[in-house]
Coordinates of all heavy atoms in Angstrom, one line a residue:
S1 N 31.4 -23.6 4.5 CA 31.0 -23.8 3.1 C 31.6 -25.1 2.6 O 32.6 -25.6 3.1 CB 31.4 -22.6 2.2 OG 32.8 -22.6 2.0
I2 N 31.1 -25.6 1.5 CA 31.6 -26.8 0.9 C 33.0 -26.6 0.4 O 33.9 -27.5 0.5 CB 30.7 -27.3 -0.2 CG1 29.3 -27.6 0.3 CG2 31.2 -28.4 -1.0 CD1 29.2 -28.7 1.3
F3 N 33.3 -25.4 -0.1 CA 34.6 -25.1 -0.6 C 35.7 -25.2 0.5 O 36.8 -25.9 0.3 CB 34.7 -23.7 -1.3 CG 36.1 -23.3 -1.7 CD1 36.7 -23.9 -2.7 CD2 36.8 -22.3 -1.0 CE1 38.0 -23.6 -3.1 CE2 38.0 -22.0 -1.4 CZ 38.7 -22.6 -2.4
I4 N 35.4 -24.7 1.6 CA 36.4 -24.8 2.7 C 36.6 -26.2 3.2 O 37.7 -26.7 3.4 CB 35.9 -23.9 3.9 CG1 35.9 -22.4 3.6 CG2 36.8 -24.2 5.2 CD1 35.3 -21.5 4.6
L5 N 35.5 -27.0 3.2 CA 35.6 -28.4 3.6 C 36.5 -29.1 2.5 O 37.3 -30.0 2.9 CB 34.3 -29.0 3.7 CG 33.4 -28.5 4.9 CD1 32.1 -29.1 4.9 CD2 34.2 -28.7 6.2
N6 N 36.3 -28.8 1.2 CA 37.1 -29.4 0.2 C 38.6 -29.1 0.3 O 39.4 -30.0 0.1 CB 36.6 -29.0 -1.2 CG 35.3 -29.6 -1.6 OD1 34.9 -30.6 -1.0 ND2 34.6 -29.0 -2.5
V7 N 38.9 -27.9 0.7 CA 40.3 -27.5 0.8 C 40.9 -28.3 2.0 O 42.0 -28.8 1.9 CB 40.4 -26.0 1.1 CG1 41.8 -25.6 1.5 CG2 40.0 -25.2 -0.2
L8 N 40.2 -28.3 3.1 CA 40.7 -29.0 4.3 C 40.8 -30.5 4.1 O 41.8 -31.1 4.5 CB 39.8 -28.7 5.5 CG 39.8 -27.3 6.0 CD1 38.8 -27.1 7.1 CD2 41.2 -26.7 6.4
E9 N 39.9 -31.1 3.4 CA 39.9 -32.5 3.1 C 41.0 -32.8 2.1 O 41.7 -33.9 2.3 CB 38.6 -32.9 2.5 CG 38.5 -34.4 2.2 CD 37.2 -34.8 1.6 OE1 36.4 -33.9 1.1 OE2 36.9 -36.0 1.6
Y10 N 41.3 -32.0 1.1 CA 42.4 -32.3 0.2 C 43.7 -32.4 0.9 O 44.5 -33.3 0.6 CB 42.4 -31.2 -0.9 CG 43.6 -31.3 -1.8 CD1 43.5 -32.3 -2.9 CD2 44.7 -30.6 -1.7 CE1 44.6 -32.4 -3.7 CE2 45.8 -30.8 -2.6 CZ 45.7 -31.7 -3.6 OH 46.8 -31.9 -4.4
W11 N 44.0 -31.5 1.8 CA 45.3 -31.5 2.5 C 45.2 -32.3 3.8 O 46.2 -32.4 4.5 CB 45.8 -30.1 2.8 CG 46.5 -29.5 1.6 CD1 47.7 -29.9 1.2 CD2 46.1 -28.4 0.8 NE1 48.1 -29.1 0.1 CE2 47.1 -28.2 -0.2 CE3 44.9 -27.6 0.7 CZ2 47.0 -27.3 -1.2 CZ3 44.8 -26.7 -0.3 CH2 45.9 -26.5 -1.2
R12 N 44.1 -32.9 4.1 CA 43.9 -33.7 5.3 C 44.3 -33.0 6.6 O 45.0 -33.5 7.4 CB 44.6 -35.0 5.1 CG 44.1 -35.8 4.0 CD 44.8 -37.1 3.9 NE 44.3 -37.8 2.7 CZ 44.7 -39.0 2.3 NH1 45.6 -39.6 3.0 NH2 44.1 -39.6 1.3
I13 N 43.7 -31.8 6.7 CA 43.9 -31.0 8.0 C 42.5 -30.7 8.5 O 41.5 -30.7 7.8 CB 44.8 -29.8 7.7 CG1 44.1 -28.9 6.6 CG2 46.2 -30.1 7.4 CD1 44.9 -27.6 6.4
S14 N 42.5 -30.3 9.8 CA 41.2 -29.9 10.4 C 41.2 -28.5 10.8 O 42.3 -27.8 10.7 CB 41.0 -30.8 11.7 OG 41.9 -30.4 12.6
F15 N 40.1 -28.0 11.2 CA 40.0 -26.5 11.6 C 40.9 -26.2 12.7 O 41.5 -25.1 12.8 CB 38.6 -26.2 12.0 CG 37.6 -26.0 10.8 CD1 36.6 -27.0 10.6 CD2 37.7 -24.9 10.0 CE1 35.8 -26.8 9.5 CE2 36.8 -24.8 8.9 CZ 35.9 -25.7 8.7
G16 N 41.2 -27.2 13.6 CA 42.0 -26.9 14.8 C 43.5 -26.9 14.4 O 44.3 -26.4 15.2
Q17 N 43.9 -27.3 13.2 CA 45.3 -27.3 12.8 C 45.7 -26.1 12.0 O 46.9 -25.8 11.8 CB 45.6 -28.6 12.0 CG 45.5 -29.9 12.8 CD 45.7 -31.1 11.9 OE1 45.0 -31.3 11.0 NE2 46.7 -31.8 12.2
I18 N 44.7 -25.4 11.5 CA 45.0 -24.3 10.6 C 45.0 -23.0 11.3 O 44.2 -22.7 12.2 CB 44.0 -24.3 9.4 CG1 44.4 -23.3 8.3 CG2 42.6 -24.0 9.9 CD1 43.7 -23.4 7.0
H19 N 46.0 -22.2 11.0 CA 46.1 -20.8 11.6 C 44.9 -20.0 11.2 O 44.5 -20.1 10.1 CB 47.5 -20.2 11.2 CG 47.8 -19.0 12.0 ND1 47.3 -17.7 11.7 CD2 48.6 -18.8 13.0 CE1 47.8 -16.9 12.5 NE2 48.6 -17.5 13.4
P20 N 44.4 -19.1 12.1 CA 43.3 -18.3 11.7 C 43.5 -17.4 10.5 O 42.6 -17.2 9.7 CB 43.1 -17.4 13.0 CG 43.6 -18.2 14.1 CD 44.8 -19.0 13.5
L21 N 44.7 -16.9 10.3 CA 45.0 -16.1 9.1 C 45.0 -17.0 7.8 O 44.7 -16.5 6.8 CB 46.3 -15.4 9.3 CG 46.3 -14.3 10.3 CD1 47.7 -13.7 10.5 CD2 45.3 -13.2 10.1
G22 N 45.4 -18.3 8.0 CA 45.3 -19.2 6.8 C 43.9 -19.4 6.4 O 43.6 -19.5 5.2
L23 N 43.1 -19.6 7.4 CA 41.6 -19.8 7.1 C 41.0 -18.5 6.5 O 40.2 -18.6 5.7 CB 40.9 -20.2 8.4 CG 39.4 -20.6 8.2 CD1 39.3 -21.8 7.3 CD2 38.8 -20.9 9.6
A24 N 41.5 -17.4 7.0 CA 41.0 -16.1 6.4 C 41.4 -16.0 4.9 O 40.6 -15.5 4.1 CB 41.6 -14.9 7.2
R25 N 42.5 -16.6 4.6 CA 42.9 -16.5 3.1 C 42.0 -17.4 2.3 O 41.6 -17.0 1.2 CB 44.3 -17.0 2.9 CG 45.4 -16.0 3.3 CD 46.7 -16.4 2.8 NE 47.6 -15.3 3.0 CZ 48.9 -15.3 2.8 NH1 49.5 -16.5 2.4 NH2 49.6 -14.3 2.9
V26 N 41.6 -18.5 2.8 CA 40.6 -19.4 2.1 C 39.3 -18.7 2.0 O 38.7 -18.7 0.9 CB 40.5 -20.8 2.9 CG1 39.5 -21.6 2.1 CG2 41.8 -21.5 3.0
L27 N 38.8 -18.1 3.0 CA 37.5 -17.4 3.0 C 37.6 -16.2 2.0 O 36.7 -15.9 1.3 CB 37.1 -16.9 4.4 CG 36.7 -18.0 5.4 CD1 36.6 -17.4 6.8 CD2 35.4 -18.6 4.9
H28 N 38.7 -15.5 2.1 CA 38.9 -14.3 1.2 C 38.9 -14.8 -0.3 O 38.3 -14.1 -1.1 CB 40.2 -13.6 1.6 CG 40.4 -12.3 0.8 ND1 41.5 -12.1 0.1 CD2 39.6 -11.2 0.8 CE1 41.4 -10.9 -0.4 NE2 40.3 -10.3 0.0
F29 N 39.6 -15.8 -0.6 CA 39.6 -16.4 -1.9 C 38.2 -16.7 -2.4 O 37.8 -16.4 -3.5 CB 40.5 -17.6 -2.0 CG 40.5 -18.2 -3.3 CD1 41.3 -17.8 -4.3 CD2 39.7 -19.4 -3.6 CE1 41.4 -18.4 -5.6 CE2 39.8 -20.0 -4.8 CZ 40.6 -19.5 -5.8
E30 N 37.4 -17.4 -1.5 CA 36.1 -17.8 -1.9 C 35.2 -16.6 -2.1 O 34.4 -16.6 -3.1 CB 35.5 -18.7 -0.8 CG 34.1 -19.2 -1.1 CD 33.5 -20.0 0.0 OE1 34.0 -20.1 1.1 OE2 32.4 -20.6 -0.3
V31 N 35.3 -15.6 -1.3 CA 34.4 -14.4 -1.4 C 34.8 -13.7 -2.7 O 33.9 -13.2 -3.4 CB 34.6 -13.5 -0.2 CG1 34.0 -12.1 -0.4 CG2 33.9 -14.1 1.0
L32 N 36.1 -13.5 -3.0 CA 36.5 -12.8 -4.2 C 36.0 -13.6 -5.5 O 35.6 -13.0 -6.4 CB 38.0 -12.6 -4.3 CG 38.5 -11.6 -3.3 CD1 40.0 -11.5 -3.4 CD2 37.9 -10.2 -3.7
C33 N 36.1 -14.9 -5.5 CA 35.6 -15.7 -6.6 C 34.1 -15.5 -6.8 O 33.7 -15.2 -8.0 CB 35.9 -17.2 -6.4 SG 37.6 -17.7 -6.7
R34 N 33.4 -15.6 -5.8 CA 31.9 -15.4 -5.9 C 31.6 -14.0 -6.3 O 30.6 -13.8 -7.1 CB 31.2 -15.8 -4.6 CG 31.4 -17.2 -4.3 CD 30.5 -17.7 -3.2 NE 30.8 -19.0 -2.7 CZ 30.4 -20.1 -3.4 NH1 29.7 -20.1 -4.5 NH2 30.8 -21.3 -2.9
A35 N 32.3 -13.0 -5.8 CA 32.1 -11.6 -6.2 C 32.3 -11.3 -7.7 O 31.7 -10.5 -8.3 CB 32.9 -10.6 -5.4
L36 N 33.3 -12.1 -8.2 CA 33.6 -12.0 -9.7 C 32.8 -12.9 -10.5 O 32.9 -12.9 -11.8 CB 35.1 -12.3 -9.9 CG 36.1 -11.3 -9.3 CD1 37.5 -11.8 -9.4 CD2 35.9 -9.9 -10.0
G37 N 31.9 -13.6 -9.9 CA 31.0 -14.5 -10.7 C 31.5 -15.9 -11.0 O 30.9 -16.5 -11.9
Y38 N 32.5 -16.3 -10.3 CA 33.1 -17.6 -10.5 C 32.8 -18.5 -9.3 O 32.6 -18.0 -8.2 CB 34.6 -17.6 -10.7 CG 35.1 -16.8 -11.9 CD1 35.6 -15.5 -11.7 CD2 35.0 -17.3 -13.1 CE1 36.0 -14.7 -12.8 CE2 35.4 -16.6 -14.2 CZ 35.9 -15.3 -14.0 OH 36.3 -14.6 -15.1
D39 N 32.7 -19.8 -9.6 CA 32.6 -20.8 -8.5 C 34.0 -21.1 -8.0 O 34.9 -21.4 -8.8 CB 31.9 -22.1 -8.9 CG 30.4 -21.9 -9.1 OD1 29.8 -21.0 -8.4 OD2 29.9 -22.6 -10.0
P40 N 34.3 -20.9 -6.7 CA 35.6 -21.2 -6.2 C 35.9 -22.7 -6.4 O 35.1 -23.6 -6.1 CB 35.6 -20.9 -4.8 CG 34.2 -20.9 -4.4 CD 33.4 -20.5 -5.6
S41 N 37.1 -23.1 -6.9 CA 37.5 -24.5 -7.1 C 38.8 -24.7 -6.4 O 39.6 -23.8 -6.3 CB 37.5 -24.8 -8.6 OG 38.7 -24.2 -9.2
L42 N 39.0 -26.0 -6.0 CA 40.2 -26.4 -5.4 C 41.4 -26.2 -6.4 O 42.5 -25.8 -6.0 CB 40.1 -27.8 -4.9 CG 41.3 -28.4 -4.2 CD1 41.6 -27.6 -2.9 CD2 41.0 -29.8 -3.8
L43 N 41.2 -26.6 -7.6 CA 42.2 -26.4 -8.6 C 42.7 -25.0 -8.8 O 43.9 -24.7 -8.8 CB 41.7 -27.0 -10.0 CG 42.7 -27.0 -11.1 CD1 43.9 -28.0 -10.8 CD2 42.1 -27.4 -12.4
L44 N 41.8 -24.1 -8.8 CA 42.1 -22.6 -8.9 C 42.8 -22.2 -7.6 O 43.8 -21.4 -7.7 CB 40.9 -21.8 -9.2 CG 41.1 -20.3 -9.5 CD1 42.0 -20.2 -10.7 CD2 39.8 -19.7 -9.7
F45 N 42.3 -22.6 -6.5 CA 42.9 -22.2 -5.2 C 44.4 -22.7 -5.1 O 45.3 -22.0 -4.7 CB 42.1 -22.8 -4.0 CG 42.6 -22.4 -2.7 CD1 42.4 -21.1 -2.1 CD2 43.4 -23.3 -1.9 CE1 42.9 -20.8 -0.9 CE2 43.9 -22.9 -0.7 CZ 43.7 -21.7 -0.2
R46 N 44.6 -23.9 -5.5 CA 45.9 -24.5 -5.5 C 46.9 -23.8 -6.5 O 48.1 -23.8 -6.3 CB 45.9 -26.0 -5.9 CG 45.3 -26.8 -4.8 CD 45.2 -28.3 -5.1 NE 46.4 -28.8 -5.7 CZ 46.5 -29.6 -6.7 NH1 45.4 -30.1 -7.2 NH2 47.7 -30.0 -7.1
R47 N 46.4 -23.1 -7.5 CA 47.2 -22.4 -8.4 C 47.8 -21.1 -7.7 O 48.9 -20.7 -8.0 CB 46.4 -21.9 -9.6 CG 47.2 -21.2 -10.6 CD 48.3 -22.0 -11.2 NE 49.1 -21.3 -12.2 CZ 50.3 -20.9 -12.0 NH1 50.9 -21.0 -10.8 NH2 51.0 -20.2 -12.9
F48 N 47.1 -20.6 -6.7 CA 47.5 -19.3 -6.1 C 48.1 -19.6 -4.7 O 48.8 -18.7 -4.2 CB 46.3 -18.4 -6.0 CG 45.9 -17.8 -7.3 CD1 44.8 -18.3 -7.9 CD2 46.6 -16.8 -7.9 CE1 44.4 -17.8 -9.2 CE2 46.2 -16.3 -9.1 CZ 45.1 -16.8 -9.7
F49 N 47.7 -20.7 -4.0 CA 48.2 -20.9 -2.6 C 48.7 -22.3 -2.5 O 48.3 -23.2 -3.2 CB 47.0 -20.7 -1.7 CG 46.5 -19.3 -1.6 CD1 45.3 -19.0 -2.4 CD2 47.1 -18.3 -0.9 CE1 44.8 -17.7 -2.4 CE2 46.6 -17.0 -0.9 CZ 45.5 -16.7 -1.6
R50 N 49.6 -22.5 -1.5 CA 50.1 -23.8 -1.1 C 50.1 -23.9 0.4 O 50.2 -22.9 1.1 CB 51.5 -24.0 -1.7 CG 52.6 -23.1 -1.0 CD 54.0 -23.4 -1.6 NE 55.0 -22.6 -1.0 CZ 55.6 -22.9 0.2 NH1 55.3 -24.0 0.8 NH2 56.5 -22.1 0.7
L51 N 50.0 -25.1 0.9 CA 50.0 -25.4 2.3 C 51.4 -25.3 2.8 O 52.4 -25.8 2.2 CB 49.4 -26.8 2.6 CG 49.2 -27.2 4.1 CD1 48.2 -26.3 4.7 CD2 48.9 -28.6 4.2
A52 N 51.6 -24.6 4.0 CA 52.9 -24.5 4.6 C 52.7 -24.7 6.1 O 51.7 -24.4 6.7 CB 53.4 -23.1 4.3
K53 N 53.8 -25.2 6.7 CA 53.8 -25.4 8.2 C 54.5 -24.2 8.8 O 55.5 -23.7 8.4 CB 54.6 -26.6 8.5 CG 54.5 -27.0 10.0 CD 54.0 -28.3 10.2 CE 54.2 -28.8 11.6 NZ 53.1 -28.6 12.5
N54 N 53.8 -23.6 9.8 CA 54.3 -22.4 10.5 C 54.3 -22.7 12.0 O 53.3 -22.5 12.7 CB 53.5 -21.2 10.2 CG 54.1 -19.9 10.7 OD1 55.1 -19.9 11.4 ND2 53.4 -18.8 10.4
G55 N 55.4 -23.2 12.6 CA 55.4 -23.6 14.0 C 54.5 -24.8 14.2 O 54.7 -25.9 13.5
D56 N 53.5 -24.7 15.1 CA 52.6 -25.8 15.3 C 51.3 -25.7 14.4 O 50.5 -26.5 14.5 CB 52.1 -25.7 16.8 CG 53.3 -26.1 17.7 OD1 54.2 -26.7 17.3 OD2 53.2 -25.6 18.9
W57 N 51.3 -24.7 13.6 CA 50.1 -24.4 12.8 C 50.4 -24.7 11.3 O 51.5 -24.7 10.9 CB 49.7 -22.9 12.9 CG 49.2 -22.5 14.2 CD1 50.0 -21.9 15.2 CD2 47.9 -22.5 14.7 NE1 49.3 -21.6 16.2 CE2 48.0 -21.9 16.0 CE3 46.7 -22.9 14.2 CZ2 46.9 -21.7 16.8 CZ3 45.6 -22.7 15.0 CH2 45.7 -22.1 16.3
Y58 N 49.3 -24.9 10.6 CA 49.4 -25.0 9.1 C 48.8 -23.7 8.6 O 47.8 -23.1 9.2 CB 48.6 -26.1 8.5 CG 49.3 -27.5 8.7 CD1 48.8 -28.3 9.7 CD2 50.3 -27.9 7.9 CE1 49.5 -29.6 9.9 CE2 50.9 -29.1 8.1 CZ 50.5 -29.9 9.1 OH 51.1 -31.1 9.3
T59 N 49.3 -23.2 7.5 CA 48.7 -22.0 6.9 C 48.9 -22.1 5.4 O 49.4 -23.1 4.9 CB 49.5 -20.7 7.4 OG1 48.8 -19.5 7.0 CG2 50.9 -20.7 7.0
F60 N 48.4 -21.1 4.7 CA 48.4 -21.1 3.2 C 49.3 -19.9 2.8 O 49.0 -18.8 3.2 CB 47.1 -21.0 2.6 CG 46.3 -22.3 2.8 CD1 45.3 -22.3 3.8 CD2 46.5 -23.4 2.0 CE1 44.6 -23.5 4.0 CE2 45.8 -24.6 2.2 CZ 44.8 -24.6 3.3
E61 N 50.3 -20.2 2.0 CA 51.2 -19.2 1.5 C 50.9 -19.0 0.0 O 50.5 -19.9 -0.7 CB 52.7 -19.6 1.6 CG 53.1 -19.6 3.1 CD 54.5 -20.1 3.2 OE1 55.1 -20.6 2.2 OE2 55.1 -19.9 4.3
T62 N 51.2 -17.8 -0.5 CA 51.0 -17.6 -1.9 C 52.1 -18.2 -2.7 O 53.2 -18.4 -2.3 CB 51.0 -16.1 -2.2 OG1 52.2 -15.5 -1.8 CG2 49.8 -15.4 -1.6
T63 N 51.8 -18.7 -3.9 CA 52.7 -19.2 -4.8 C 53.2 -18.2 -5.8 O 52.6 -17.1 -5.9 CB 52.1 -20.4 -5.6 OG1 51.0 -20.0 -6.4 CG2 51.7 -21.5 -4.7
Q64 N 54.2 -18.5 -6.6 CA 54.7 -17.6 -7.6 C 53.7 -17.8 -8.8 O 53.6 -18.9 -9.3 CB 56.1 -17.9 -8.0 CG 57.1 -17.8 -6.9 CD 57.2 -16.3 -6.5 OE1 57.1 -15.4 -7.3 NE2 57.4 -16.1 -5.2
I65 N 53.1 -16.7 -9.2 CA 52.1 -16.8 -10.3 C 52.6 -16.0 -11.5 O 53.3 -15.0 -11.3 CB 50.7 -16.4 -9.9 CG1 50.7 -15.0 -9.4 CG2 50.1 -17.3 -8.9 CD1 49.3 -14.4 -9.2
D66 N 52.2 -16.3 -12.7 CA 52.4 -15.5 -13.8 C 51.6 -14.3 -13.8 O 50.4 -14.4 -13.5 CB 52.2 -16.4 -15.1 CG 53.0 -17.6 -15.2 OD1 54.2 -17.5 -14.7 OD2 52.6 -18.6 -15.7
T67 N 52.1 -13.2 -14.2 CA 51.3 -11.9 -14.2 C 50.2 -12.0 -15.2 O 49.3 -11.2 -15.1 CB 52.2 -10.7 -14.4 OG1 53.0 -10.9 -15.6 CG2 53.2 -10.5 -13.3
C68 N 50.3 -12.8 -16.2 CA 49.3 -12.9 -17.3 C 48.0 -13.5 -16.7 O 47.0 -13.4 -17.3 CB 49.8 -13.7 -18.5 SG 50.1 -15.4 -18.2
L69 N 48.1 -14.2 -15.5 CA 46.9 -14.7 -15.0 C 46.0 -13.7 -14.3 O 44.8 -13.9 -14.1 CB 47.2 -15.8 -13.9 CG 47.9 -17.0 -14.4 CD1 48.3 -17.9 -13.2 CD2 46.9 -17.8 -15.3
I70 N 46.6 -12.5 -14.0 CA 45.8 -11.4 -13.4 C 45.4 -10.4 -14.5 O 46.3 -9.8 -15.1 CB 46.6 -10.8 -12.3 CG1 47.0 -11.8 -11.2 CG2 45.8 -9.6 -11.7 CD1 48.0 -11.3 -10.2
S71 N 44.1 -10.3 -14.7 CA 43.7 -9.4 -15.8 C 43.8 -7.9 -15.5 O 44.1 -7.1 -16.3 CB 42.3 -9.7 -16.2 OG 41.4 -9.6 -15.1
S72 N 43.5 -7.6 -14.2 CA 43.6 -6.2 -13.8 C 43.8 -6.1 -12.3 O 43.4 -6.9 -11.6 CB 42.4 -5.4 -14.2 OG 41.3 -5.9 -13.5
T73 N 44.5 -5.1 -11.9 CA 44.7 -4.9 -10.5 C 44.3 -3.5 -10.1 O 44.4 -2.6 -11.0 CB 46.2 -5.1 -10.1 OG1 47.0 -4.2 -10.9 CG2 46.7 -6.5 -10.3
V74 N 43.9 -3.3 -8.9 CA 43.5 -2.0 -8.5 C 44.7 -1.3 -7.9 O 45.4 -1.8 -7.1 CB 42.4 -2.1 -7.3 CG1 42.1 -0.7 -6.8 CG2 41.2 -2.8 -7.9
T75 N 45.0 -0.1 -8.5 CA 46.2 0.6 -8.1 C 45.8 1.8 -7.2 O 46.6 2.2 -6.4 CB 47.0 1.1 -9.3 OG1 46.1 1.9 -10.2 CG2 47.5 0.0 -10.1
T76 N 44.7 2.3 -7.4 CA 44.2 3.5 -6.6 C 42.7 3.4 -6.5 O 42.0 2.9 -7.4 CB 44.7 4.8 -7.2 OG1 44.2 5.9 -6.4 CG2 44.1 5.0 -8.6
L77 N 42.2 4.0 -5.5 CA 40.8 4.1 -5.3 C 40.3 5.5 -5.7 O 39.1 5.8 -5.4 CB 40.4 3.8 -3.8 CG 40.7 2.4 -3.4 CD1 40.3 2.2 -1.9 CD2 39.9 1.4 -4.2
G78 N 41.1 6.3 -6.2 CA 40.7 7.7 -6.6 C 39.7 7.8 -7.6 O 38.9 8.8 -7.6
S79 N 39.5 6.8 -8.5 CA 38.6 6.9 -9.6 C 37.4 5.9 -9.3 O 36.8 5.5 -10.2 CB 39.2 6.5 -10.9 OG 39.7 5.2 -10.8
W80 N 37.1 5.7 -8.0 CA 36.0 4.7 -7.7 C 34.6 5.2 -8.2 O 33.8 4.4 -8.5 CB 36.0 4.4 -6.2 CG 35.6 5.5 -5.4 CD1 36.4 6.5 -4.9 CD2 34.3 5.8 -4.9 NE1 35.7 7.4 -4.1 CE2 34.4 7.0 -4.1 CE3 33.0 5.3 -5.1 CZ2 33.3 7.6 -3.5 CZ3 31.9 5.8 -4.5 CH2 32.1 7.0 -3.7
K81 N 34.4 6.5 -8.3 CA 33.1 7.0 -8.8 C 32.9 6.8 -10.3 O 31.8 6.8 -10.7 CB 33.0 8.5 -8.5 CG 32.9 8.8 -7.0 CD 32.7 10.2 -6.7 CE 32.6 10.5 -5.2 NZ 32.5 11.9 -5.0
D82 N 34.0 6.6 -11.0 CA 33.9 6.4 -12.5 C 33.4 5.0 -12.7 O 32.8 4.7 -13.7 CB 35.3 6.5 -13.1 CG 35.8 8.0 -13.0 OD1 35.0 8.9 -12.7 OD2 37.0 8.1 -13.1

């Protein structure tokens, strides 16, 4: 997707340099944004993740975020029918 290419271009890394789990985080972020009705943006992604080196690979780690940025969290699936 264009979003993944923007992320890789911003940090000047290629698909071969990123750990598969790091790429999974990028894809997961994009899917969640689209599911919530937002267009994924590099600025928003950078607010939640940062590039980190893990051995020979690059990956994305979570940053410290303010809890006020998260409007609601799922604590249980017991009320999913509601």
Side-chain angles (χ1 to χ4, degrees):
S1 71
I2 299 297
F3 174 69
I4 295 172
L5 294 176
N6 288 338
V7 169
L8 296 177
E9 182 181 15
Y10 176 79
W11 276 290
R12 296 181 181 180
I13 56 175
S14 67
F15 283 109
Q17 294 175 300
I18 189 167
H19 192 277
L21 293 177
L23 188 59
R25 282 191 170 173
V26 178
L27 290 169
H28 188 238
F29 177 82
E30 181 179 12
V31 167
L32 286 177
C33 282
R34 294 192 190 281
L36 293 172
Y38 299 103
D39 288 329
S41 70
L42 182 61
L43 184 64
L44 187 61
F45 181 79
R46 288 178 47 219
R47 181 64 180 106
F48 291 100
F49 297 99
R50 67 178 182 87
L51 185 68
K53 184 123 167 98
N54 188 359
D56 294 335
W57 297 90
Y58 286 101
T59 189
F60 293 98
E61 294 179 346
T62 56
T63 60
Q64 298 296 326
I65 59 168
D66 299 327
T67 55
C68 64
L69 291 175
I70 302 172
S71 60
S72 64
T73 57
V74 176
T75 57
T76 180
L77 296 176
S79 62
W80 67 272
K81 290 183 181 179
D82 297 338

